[in-house]
Amino acid sequence: MNTSSNGILDVAIIGAGLTGMYALHKLREEGHAVRVFDRADGVGGTWWWNRYPGARVDSPGAPFYCYTFSEDLVAEWEWLETQPDQPAILSYLNHVADRFDLRRDIQLATSITDAAYEEDSGLWVLATSKGEEVRARYLISAVGTLSDAYKPAFDGLASFRGEVYHTGHWPQDHDVDFTGKRVGIIGTGSSGVQLIPIIAESAAALTVFQRTPQYVLPARNRPLAEELKTLAKENWPELRERAVATGRPLPKAQELAVEASQEERNAVYEQAWLTGGMSLRDCYGDHMSDPEANELVAEFVRKKIREAITDPDVAEQLLPYYIFGAKRLILGTGYYEAFNRDNVSIVDVKKAPIVCITDSGVETSDGFYELDVLILATGYDAITGGLTSLNPRGRDGVRLRDVWSKGVQSYLGLAVSGFPNMFIMHGPQTPAVKYPMHLGAELQGDWIAGIIRHAKNGGFDTVEAQAAMQPAWGKEVAAIADRSLYSKAESWYMGSNIPGKPRQFMVHLDGPGYHRRIHEVAESGYEGFEFSKADVAAESDAYAAAVLS
Ligand code: NA7
């Protein structure tokens, strides 16, 4: 293990997904002894786990869904499609791991089972599933925003005698064969929507248990145009700069839907529908801020759904009537068309909820559906679940889950008072999923490297967010959400998908503003953080005791 001379890591990182990999690269460059732990057998995080057929990127895709820090990396990697699929993204992440020689400091197939801050030494003490004890000065959570799979507690689920799969834990070692089987799928989020048309092709019957209809936009995945590849490779510094400043590498539409004539608007919407991806959301600048504009685009999608589905009763069940985009928009391929097949049916489980799962199928309040395969496409305890399931212990043994029991409290989303030397990447109260993921990881990774450097240069062992900074930060994040339309619907951004989870908008919606802000905090000498020195004698005593035990 790469450690300092005293056997203690400078930094332990949990998670070898795209955030943890960048943090490792950056911190190692700064000369730290770093080790990454991941429970998976390979790097890639979410992209390692999500192997269900049809899994592909559902945000503006290639050539921009990638790291931005290395122009050489951009120049040498060839994206082939506009919406790369899971194998393509995983190959890319594996390439990055090799290209930057990351693997020598990544320990795979290892869960962190406990993480406790030790007051005397000012160190984090981690226990691993391999029975090791690891001591590190700093702990970085890079556990991912969609990593803690949510399996609803359906009565009788364990008694089901057929095959059961969760999309986030798809089998690694074999393909799932649906041929001739009666398949049920619960959940119509991005995972369900990507999977449904594929299962429909081979299953004898597919029953879709839908709770909330979605706005599914056409992905229109296609070979990536040569001009776009060249544009990215030749203009990377400018594109990166624009992405940092605006959250998008390409310019954003400024025109307003509410100011366009109906004829103009329809032409723009039809073109965006044909182009696919997130074009429809992005073709006007007011869709996500003005309820009137939002309803215009929402009604356009409803019209498209009615046109796509031959049976008007089925179409009616698939029509969403809440704010367009407030639940994460979905990119699908042949999703609505799948419901025109004779072997696909839809069951509205909002109207007639699932009562239980029996040994042979799903029982709802108005029917029974016999199944050979049951798929849970039921999502994640998003944004906080990865970290709260680890439930680290901070000062005085206080558990993070207890501190967050009524809602997340943090400073800048990067640190929590009472948890010294612990930093969170893509955590709650950061832009996380609402900003380019790789770029956000780089900016946060650089910031964390900066604060650790600052502490080291000042001879400090401990960095901690001041408790007094947290309420204002929480208010700032909430105020931005309240001004937008994102907080006006039930979604996993709000924690609404998990029973009992505090309702709180968890994402900082002004990504560029957020990154300016954390930069200013760094420039100010890390205002809001307390730097202190640990008791060095206690530290070496504690280490000696650990070595001797
Ligand atoms: P999502 O988007 O959280 O979708 C989960 C789906 O499961 C959604 O349709 C839920 O309905 C449904 N669900 C959850 N619990 C139940 C119960 N108890 N009964 C019936 N239906 C249920 O997860 P995904 O994996 O699809 O996507 C996650 C993200 O990954 C996605 O946004 C992309 O960024 C990639 P609900 O809408 O809550 O009524």
Side-chain angles (χ1 to χ4, degrees), residues 431-509:
V433 292
K434 299 299 292 175
Y435 190 77
M437 290 295 275
H438 301 72
L439 177 60
E442 293 168 21
L443 297 173
Q444 288 192 344
D446 292 352
W447 190 92
I448 292 168
I451 196 168
I452 292 177
R453 193 184 321 124
H454 184 82
K456 197 172 174 190
N457 291 345
F460 297 110
D461 305 294
T462 310
V463 187
E464 184 174 355
Q466 292 168 1
M469 306 305 282
Q470 299 186 154
W473 182 250
K475 276 189 192 148
E476 191 172 323
V477 175
I480 298 169
D482 285 348
R483 285 198 297 272
S484 84
L485 296 177
Y486 284 97
S487 58
K488 310 287 182 278
E490 302 290 314
S491 72
W492 53 255
Y493 300 138
M494 291 281 288
S496 331
N497 62 326
I498 303 294
K501 188 166 175 173
R503 295 289 190 274
Q504 171 189 30
F505 200 84
M506 289 185 289
V507 182
H508 188 296
L509 283 173

Side-chain angles (χ1 to χ4, degrees), residues 67-384:
Y67 289 110
T68 75
F69 68 94
S70 160
E71 254 189 279
D72 289 345
L73 176 62
V74 171
E76 73 202 20
W77 186 258
E78 284 297 311
W79 292 108
L80 299 179
E81 296 182 319
T82 54
Q83 306 298 136
D85 62 8
Q86 180 268 344
I89 297 168
L90 195 58
S91 308
Y92 170 74
L93 293 171
N94 273 302
H95 169 74
V96 172
D98 293 331
R99 167 89 170 60
F100 295 96
D101 190 20
L102 301 180
R103 293 185 202 276
R104 67 186 154 91
D105 291 312
I106 299 178
Q107 184 172 329
L108 296 169
T110 307
S111 299
I112 299 299
T113 53
D114 189 36
Y117 178 70
E118 191 178 69
E119 305 262 348
D120 289 346
S121 62
L123 297 176
W124 279 92
V125 183
L126 312 182
T128 78
S129 54
K130 299 247 163 95
E132 302 145 298
E133 182 181 272
V134 178
R135 302 163 80 75
R137 170 71 50 206
Y138 293 97
L139 174 65
I140 296 182
S141 166
V143 295
T145 50
L146 297 160
S147 53
D148 192 37
Y150 169 57
K151 240 188 203 183
F154 294 119
D155 270 355
L157 181 57
S159 70
F160 182 63
R161 280 189 280 109
E163 303 158 62
V164 182
Y165 304 102
H166 189 289
T167 46
H169 285 284
W170 203 257
Q172 305 292 322
D173 51 356
H174 67 276
D175 288 340
V176 179
D177 185 8
F178 302 110
T179 314
K181 294 180 183 163
R182 294 162 303 177
V183 182
I185 183 165
I186 303 176
T188 53
S190 196
S191 307
V193 165
Q194 291 183 338
L195 191 46
I196 283 164
I198 293 175
I199 305 174
E201 281 170 18
S202 58
L206 172 62
T207 308
V208 177
F209 298 93
Q210 174 194 266
R211 191 164 66 181
T212 313
Q214 297 272 6
Y215 292 95
V216 179
L217 312 182
R220 305 233 192 268
N221 179 47
R222 56 189 173 275
L224 187 60
E226 288 303 320
E227 307 84 77
L228 205 51
K229 287 187 197 172
T230 312
L231 172 94
K233 289 184 199 280
E234 291 183 356
N235 301 282
W236 198 251
E238 297 91 287
L239 293 169
R240 184 180 199 269
E241 207 174 305
R242 188 186 293 121
V244 172
T246 68
R248 289 157 197 260
L250 299 176
K252 189 180 167 189
Q254 299 300 324
E255 296 79 17
L256 303 181
V258 292
E259 287 180 355
S261 70
Q262 193 177 346
E263 203 182 1
E264 276 166 2
R265 203 169 40 236
N266 269 339
V268 170
Y269 283 168
E270 288 291 350
Q271 183 54 49
W273 190 260
L274 267 182
T275 305
M278 289 293 168
S279 313
L280 188 68
R281 178 195 65 187
D282 296 341
C283 63
Y284 284 111
D286 52 352
H287 285 155
M288 293 313 302
S289 52
D290 180 344
E292 195 186 327
N294 191 280
E295 178 51 25
L296 290 168
V297 70
E299 185 47 36
F300 177 80
V301 180
R302 290 192 283 264
K303 178 178 86 115
K304 288 291 182 191
I305 299 172
R306 288 189 196 98
E307 284 169 10
I309 296 174
T310 40
D311 180 336
D313 292 340
V314 174
E316 200 52 42
Q317 290 189 65
L318 285 157
L319 294 179
Y321 282 101
Y322 48 88
I323 298 283
F324 166 92
K327 273 167 111 63
R328 194 180 160 109
L329 289 172
I330 293 181
L331 301 183
T333 303
Y335 175 67
Y336 291 119
E337 293 74 9
F339 291 91
N340 293 333
R341 299 176 67 113
D342 292 340
N343 65 337
V344 178
S345 54
I346 183 163
V347 174
D348 182 343
V349 294
K350 194 162 256 169
K351 238 193 236 158
I354 294 171
V355 175
C356 65
I357 314 281
T358 72
D359 60 350
S360 58
V362 171
E363 188 171 324
T364 70
S365 62
D366 71 357
F368 180 71
Y369 303 87
E370 209 156 296
L371 302 173
D372 303 308
V373 182
L374 176 60
I375 296 169
L376 303 174
T378 44
Y380 299 86
D381 182 353
I383 306 177
T384 53

Side-chain angles (χ1 to χ4, degrees), residues 400-409 500-502:
L400 186 66
R401 219 183 285 156
D402 295 329
V403 175
W404 284 359
S405 62
K406 295 200 172 67
V408 167
Q409 301 173 47
K501 188 166 175 173

Side-chain angles (χ1 to χ4, degrees), residues 21-86:
M21 283 169 54
Y22 180 73
L24 167 61
H25 170 68
K26 177 71 188 174
L27 289 160
R28 220 170 50 179
E29 237 180 26
E30 299 251 328
H32 299 298
V34 189
R35 177 145 272 235
V36 179
F37 300 87
D38 198 296
R39 64 194 158 126
D41 293 335
V43 299
T46 294
W47 290 111
W48 192 87
W49 291 100
N50 275 266
R51 289 166 189 243
Y52 60 84
R56 53 176 76 244
V57 71
D58 68 346
S59 55
F64 304 116
Y65 188 75
C66 62
Y67 289 110
T68 75
F69 68 94
S70 160
E71 254 189 279
D72 289 345
L73 176 62
V74 171
E76 73 202 20
W77 186 258
E78 284 297 311
W79 292 108
L80 299 179
E81 296 182 319
T82 54
Q83 306 298 136
D85 62 8
Q86 180 268 344

